[in-house]
Amino acid sequence: MNVKTRQGKIKRLKEHSKKSVVIVGGGINGIGLFRELALQGVDVLLVEQGDYCGAASSAPSRMIHGGLRYMENGEFALVRESLHERNLLLKNARHYVFPLPTTIPVFSWMDGVFANALKFFGLNEKPAKRGALIIKLGLSFYDFFTRGKTTMPKHRFHSKKETFRKWSFLNKDAVCSATYYDAWISFPERLGMELVSDAEQASDSAIALNYVRLERSDEDSLILKDSVTGEEFSIEPELVVNATGAWIDDTNQSISKRTDFIGGTKGSHLIIRNDDLYRATGDGMVYYENAEGRVCILFPYMGNVLVGSTDLPVVSANGVHCTPEEETYILESLKYIFPSIHIEREEILYRFSGVRPLPSSTSATTGQISRSHSCQVLPANEARSYPIFSLIGGKWTTFRAFGQQIADQLLTELKQPRHCSTEQVEIGGGKDFPETLFEKKQWLNAISEQCQCTDSRAEILLARYGTRATELAEFLVSKQNRPLLSHPDYSTGEVRFLIEKEQVECLNDLLLRRTSLAISGDLNLDVIREINDLLAMQKGWNQKRKELELGNSLSYLEQYHGLDYKTLSSRLSTQQKQQPVAASELTESLAI
Ligand SMILES: Cc1cc2nc3c(=O)[nH]c(=O)nc-3n(C[C@H](O)[C@H](O)[C@H](O)COP(=O)(O)OP(=O)(O)OC[C@H]3O[C@@H](n4cnc5c(N)ncnc54)[C@H](O)[C@@H]3O)c2cc1C
C-alpha cells in the first residue's frame, strides 16, 4: 500500500502508534509548526477535524501586513516581526503574496493626538479618530522598521486635490490622504495546503491527515477519529500541541482540564460586485475609519471588492457566519466613506466569517486585545505523560515566526537539533518562481508548449498554482482532459489533479479551498454539480453518496456563506452566458 495515501498513512499510524509530536488543528498555526518540525526531521503527526485552513485561517482579510493599528496598543515588537515576515512571504510565496498600495483617507489634521496618547498608555480604551499627525507618526515608524529591507516605496501624503483626483468617490470631508505599502495574499487556503505538501514531501516521518478529529484521551494515548470511515485509532505522543485556535479551551478540556486561554472575536467580510465600488478602490486598499473610528478595509479581489471586517466577542466558535446585522454594519461603513455609492444586497456575492483565536482579556473593547502570539504549557502530570503546548493568537502573516519559536521549544524538549531555518525556504509553487518579465515569458512558453495551450491559459495556471503548474501540466498530458462545461476556465484534469494530489475528501474542499470558485463569486448550481460528478467518479461513490455530498455542500454554502439554492440556480454558468459551445470545440480551443 502506498504510504502517502490516506489509507496508507492511517495503516502506518496503527502499526506504529508512538509519535514524538502530535499537532491537533490544521489551521495556519498548526500547519506552520508542522512544516517547521518536518524540515527538522521530527517524527510529527498533524490532525485536522475538518479540512486544512477550514476555520479562521480561511477567513482573514487577506492582508499580509505589519499591522499599522497595533502600534496604538504599543505592540511595536509584533509590528516589527510582522513586517519582517511580510517581506519574507513576498519572496518565498511570490505566486500568492503581492505588494498592496494602501491609502488612508484623512479627515482632520490633529484629531486623536491626545486620545491616542492616552490609549497608548492604557488610559483610554475607546476607538479614537486619527488625524494626519497621528497617521504620519505611524507611517514613519512603519518605514523605519523596514528601512533598507524592502523595495516597496515609502509612504507618501497626497493633497486634497490629488486625493479626489484618484479617489473621486471619497467622502468630501477628507482633507488629504496617505499611501503606504503592505501586502495581500490571493489564495491563503492554497498556501496552507502547499505547506502541508512541502512538509510531507520533506520527511517520511511527517504525516498530516485532514478529517481526523481528536476525540479524547485514554491514559497516555490520544483517541483520534477518522470521520471518513468512522474508525477510531490511538496514538501515544511524547509532546502534544494544541493548535485548535478558537477551540483551544474545549480541546484542553477533552484531554486534560478546562483552561481559559482564549477570548475569541468574530470577524466577517463581504465580497461585493459593484463597478463604482471597484473604481473607488483606486486599484489598491482603502484603509478607512467608520463613523465610530473603527478601522475597516476594502480592496479589489478577483474582479470584485473585499470589504471587512467586524470584531465581535463570541462565546462559542461553532457555527459562526455573517449575520444580517454585520452585513448592515459593513454596508453602513461603506456609506460613510463613499456616500455616493449605492450598494444593493444582491451585489453581495459571498460572505465569510471566522473567529480570531485571541487571548482571553479584560479589555473594554475588542480592538484593545493583543494581536500577538504566545504559548501556554500544561506540564505532564500523573494522569498523562505528555505536556500540552497551546498556541494562542497568531496571524497569517506571522505563522512562520510563531512556528519557528514553538519548534525551538519542542526541539529542546526532544533534545533534537535544528537542521535548518525556514526563513529562506520558498513555499510550494513559489519555488523558482520567475522573477523578471523575461523569465516569466520563458516559463509561459515552456508550459504552453508542454500542454499545447495558449500563453494566456498558461498565465492563469501560473497565477493559480505558481511553478507547480509544471507538475499539473505533466499530469494533464497523461490524462483525458477537457474544459469544464459549466466553467471552461477550469478543466476536468485540473480538478482530478487537485483531488489526487491535495487530500480532497469533500466537495467543499474543492469549491471553497483548492479553487477560488466560491470566493470569486463564480459558483452556481451547474459548476457545483459538474465538480461533484468528477469527485464522485474519482472516489467511486454511488448515486446516493453523490446526492448526499451535493446536499451537504448546498446546505453548508447557504448556512455559512449566504449562498442559497435560489441564488445559485439564478446565477448563469459560463456556458449559459455565452452561445452554447460543443464540448469538442472547447477541447480544441483550450487544451488544458
Ligand atoms: C476576520 C479575521 C480577519 C483576519 N485577518 C487577518 C489578516 O488580514 N492578516 C493576518 O495575518 N491574519 C488575519 N487574521 C488572523 C488569522 O487568520 C488567524 O489568527 C489564524 O488563521 C489562526 O489560525 P489557527 O491555526 O490558530 O486557527 P484556525 O485556523 O481556526 O485553526 C484551528 C483548527 O483546529 C481544528 N480543530 C478544532 N478542534 C479540533 C479537534 N478536536 N481535532 C482536530 N482538529 C480540531 C479546527 O477545525 C480548525 O481548523 C484574521 C482572522 C480573522 C478571523
Side-chain angles (χ1 to χ4, degrees), residues 87-127:
N87 293 343
L88 290 179
L89 278 168
L90 280 164
K91 273 203 334 232
N92 295 332
R94 284 176 205 275
H95 56 323
Y96 293 153
V97 180
F98 311 97
L100 177 66
T102 302
T103 297
I104 312 176
V106 183
F107 288 90
S108 79
W109 299 104
M110 298 300 287
D111 261 4
V113 176
F114 185 60
N116 278 294
L118 289 178
K119 205 167 156 192
F120 182 79
F121 292 109
L123 301 171
N124 176 20
E125 294 194 306
K126 291 201 191 93

Side-chain angles (χ1 to χ4, degrees), residues 332-457:
E332 285 295 321
S333 82
L334 286 176
K335 209 181 279 174
Y336 173 76
I337 195 75
F338 301 122
S340 62
I341 299 180
H342 180 71
I343 292 157
E344 300 285 346
R345 297 261 168 180
E346 296 73 56
E347 291 173 315
I348 302 175
L349 299 181
Y350 192 68
R351 298 144 176 94
F352 59 97
S353 280
V355 177
R356 303 172 182 90
L358 304 179
S360 62
S361 159
T362 50
S363 300
T365 63
T366 50
Q368 294 283 107
I369 305 173
S370 167
R371 259 48 179 179
S372 194
H373 47 254
S374 60
C375 176
Q376 293 273 0
V377 187
L378 298 175
N381 57 28
E382 281 171 9
R384 57 177 159 75
S385 58
Y386 49 85
I388 305 169
F389 297 75
S390 299
L391 307 193
I392 295 147
K395 299 161 53 55
W396 242 104
T397 310
T398 50
F399 77 84
R400 196 209 60 83
F402 194 14
Q404 177 176 283
Q405 289 149 21
I406 304 303
D408 284 340
Q409 220 171 320
L410 302 183
L411 287 168
T412 306
E413 293 279 332
L414 295 169
K415 300 189 178 50
Q416 286 191 25
R418 171 175 278 282
H419 296 301
C420 63
S421 159
T422 45
E423 274 217 356
Q424 305 302 331
V425 179
E426 291 170 327
I427 304 167
K431 284 184 197 120
D432 304 322
F433 195 78
E435 282 186 37
T436 60
L437 275 177
F438 178 71
E439 281 175 16
K440 186 174 164 192
K441 184 82 192 130
Q442 277 187 322
W443 191 93
L444 293 176
N445 285 344
I447 282 286
S448 47
E449 209 166 288
Q450 189 178 0
C451 316
Q452 288 154 24
C453 69
T454 59
D455 269 11
S456 60
R457 174 69 179 158

Side-chain angles (χ1 to χ4, degrees), residues 23-31 47-65 70 82 183 185 209 212-216 224 242-248 250-251 254 265-269 285 297 299 309-311 352-358 371 391-399 402:
I23 303 170
V24 188
I28 190 55
N29 285 329
I31 291 174
V47 289
E48 162 56 49
Q49 66 179 359
D51 190 21
Y52 305 118
C53 291
S57 301
S58 58
S61 306
R62 293 171 188 247
M63 290 163 75
I64 296 297
H65 63 149
Y70 310 148
S82 306
I185 178 165
L209 287 162
V212 168
R213 181 179 153 78
L214 167 65
E215 290 285 331
R216 59 188 184 282
L224 306 176
N242 178 355
T244 57
W247 293 272
I248 276 177
D250 300 340
T251 306
S254 70
T265 73
K266 173 194 179 192
S268 296
H269 291 86
M285 173 175 280
I297 54 108
F299 67 104
S309 70
T310 52
D311 193 7
F352 59 97
S353 280
V355 177
R356 303 172 182 90
L358 304 179
R371 259 48 179 179
L391 307 193
I392 295 147
K395 299 161 53 55
W396 242 104
T397 310
T398 50
F399 77 84
F402 194 14

Side-chain angles (χ1 to χ4, degrees), residues 304-319:
N304 304 308
V305 180
L306 186 158
V307 196
S309 70
T310 52
D311 193 7
L312 303 164
V314 284
V315 180
S316 163
N318 294 328

